[in-house]
Amino acid sequence: MSDRINDRRRRLLGTALAGLSLMELGLGGIAHAQASGTNAGPRAAGFDNLKQIDAGTLSVGYAEAGPQNGPVVILLHGWPYDIHSFAEVAPLLAAAGYRVIVPYLRGYGMTRFLSADTPRNGQQAAIAVDIIALMDALKIDKAILGGFDWGARTVNIIAALWPQRCKAMVSVSGYLIGSQEANRAPLPPKAELAWWYQFYFATERGYAGYEANRHDFNKLIWHTASPKWNFDDATFERSAQSFNNPDHVAVVIHNYRWRLGLVKGEAQYDELEKRLALAPVITVPTITMEGDANGAPHPEPAAYAKKFTGKYAHRNIGGGIGHNLPQEAPKAFADAIADVARL
């Protein structure tokens, strides 16, 4: 962790455990279920049941819906998104009897580090351990896991390393477990172009630029990653509040620099990363999904199908669906969650 990140972290200590913003607490009521499984234009549904719990190194903010005694589903967002990617998925699942947990990842929304001395680490193993700690804190032994982007990578890791905690899994864009070693290999020029922001974040100019312009930066990513998604300003602004987290920039920058081997992770995760570097197979029942208009870098389904050695199915979702598949096609995602445990 660079001195610059440490300096920022210490300057923000006074606010790290501050009270939640009015925007975070004043979200609209639970979303109405969407009948369509495809991109339906502007929506600004939200959650009205937000909670907080200490789990591992974090105080985790999360939304919850559905009966307490229902089978548990944990849904994980990615960058640059937040829990509202599942604002219309959650009520669909809750109505079907599931207990749905949707946490803010480290560096987003209501989630805060408990200590100023904890590195603002964005490496893949750390985020997965966060979710295991959350399950422990909530006394959840096993859950159906679903996610996209960082969230897909995280549910992949949990399913691979702790299959006893994962009943089944839905993963947008398939198998996303990576390693620093694998990321050293250059890609074809067209593929490298798609990672422009990763290289930007590798520079101090990129750090300063993201810190100063995270709102407009992330809105640009939304447009490029989902070029056919007709989201309105209210939908983006609701999620943009989560980027004001005092640790957001440090966690995001560390995530992308760690992937390129430009910064180190924490030693406590070394053994987990060694196991992940072997690209372990996933044995739990799995449905992978892909939108037909995903503008973000993503592998082809044929490239990862063999990584799933248990019961497995893949679903292509049409209708102009981009990278943020759960928010753009909530019914299709909710259906996959309900179906995967029955594979």
Side-chain angles (χ1 to χ4, degrees):
M1 188 65 62
S2 70
D3 291 340
R4 181 173 184 175
I5 293 175
N6 285 327
D7 288 343
R8 284 190 177 86
R9 170 157 38 93
R10 291 187 174 92
R11 288 201 310 270
L12 292 167
L13 174 60
T15 60
L17 295 175
L20 305 175
S21 71
L22 290 176
M23 180 61 74
E24 287 170 330
L25 287 174
L27 299 171
I30 273 285
H32 295 295
Q34 180 191 350
S36 171
T38 59
N39 191 327
R43 297 184 294 270
F47 291 101
D48 65 359
N49 189 12
L50 301 180
K51 301 182 179 182
Q52 201 85 19
I53 191 170
D54 289 355
T57 62
L58 301 173
S59 173
V60 178
Y62 65 100
E64 183 167 0
Q68 284 290 306
N69 61 350
V72 180
V73 175
I74 298 175
L75 304 175
L76 302 180
H77 67 84
W79 173 86
Y81 306 95
D82 78 335
I83 64 173
H84 294 97
S85 292
F86 302 101
E88 294 191 58
V89 173
L92 291 170
L93 293 174
Y98 292 94
R99 179 188 178 192
V100 186
I101 307 292
V102 192
Y104 285 104
L105 299 186
R106 55 169 58 196
Y108 294 81
M110 297 159 52
T111 295
R112 299 290 189 270
F113 286 88
L114 293 172
S115 172
D117 295 325
T118 302
R120 272 42 178 175
N121 179 356
Q123 74 181 105
Q124 60 181 0
I127 297 171
V129 169
D130 289 345
I131 303 307
I132 293 294
L134 175 63
M135 293 176 70
D136 290 344
L138 293 173
K139 296 181 170 52
I140 295 170
D141 180 61
K142 200 168 191 176
I144 300 171
L145 303 178
F148 73 105
D149 196 85
W150 290 18
R153 181 174 296 107
T154 303
V155 302
N156 289 176
I157 291 170
I158 294 172
L161 299 187
W162 298 281
Q164 72 277 12
R165 308 299 299 269
C166 181
K167 181 178 180 180
M169 180 183 69
V170 173
S171 177
V172 176
S173 297
Y175 187 92
L176 298 179
I177 297 173
S179 71
Q180 289 180 320
E181 182 62 33
N183 287 339
R184 289 191 178 96
L187 300 172
K190 185 176 180 180
E192 296 281 28
L193 177 63
W195 285 112
W196 67 271
Y197 56 86
Q198 180 168 278
F199 304 127
Y200 180 65
F201 288 162
T203 68
E204 285 304 294
R205 178 186 177 92
Y207 195 120
Y210 189 59
E211 188 167 49
N213 303 303
R214 71 188 82 170
H215 177 279
D216 291 348
F217 194 104
N218 290 343
K219 195 170 188 178
L220 173 64
I221 296 296
W222 277 39
H223 281 297
T224 57
S226 298
K228 296 186 179 181
W229 182 27
N230 186 30
F231 64 88
D232 61 7
D233 288 343
T235 298
F236 178 75
E237 294 301 334
R238 181 194 55 195
S239 288
Q241 296 299 315
S242 72
F243 313 143
N244 294 329
N245 182 294
D247 303 303
H248 177 75
V249 175
V251 169
V252 169
I253 296 297
H254 186 270
N255 176 284
Y256 287 101
R257 291 184 178 182
W258 179 86
R259 294 194 206 187
L260 293 177
L262 301 176
V263 295
K264 294 182 178 179
E266 293 177 79
Q268 63 182 304
Y269 303 116
D270 285 352
E271 288 304 314
L272 295 179
E273 294 294 355
K274 287 180 182 178
R275 293 170 64 188
L276 295 173
L278 298 175
V281 298
I282 291 173
T283 60
V284 305
T286 296
I287 292 176
T288 58
M289 307 183 75
E290 192 59 79
D292 65 336
N294 186 355
H298 61 278
E300 291 298 319
Y304 54 69
K306 291 182 179 179
K307 301 306 296 183
F308 302 100
T309 60
K311 296 178 180 179
Y312 173 69
H314 177 78
R315 296 179 179 179
N316 291 311
I317 309 301
I321 302 303
H323 190 59
N324 186 2
L325 191 151
Q327 195 164 4
E328 298 176 60
K331 186 177 185 300
F333 190 87
D335 286 346
I337 291 287
D339 292 343
V340 71
R342 299 194 291 265
L343 281 182

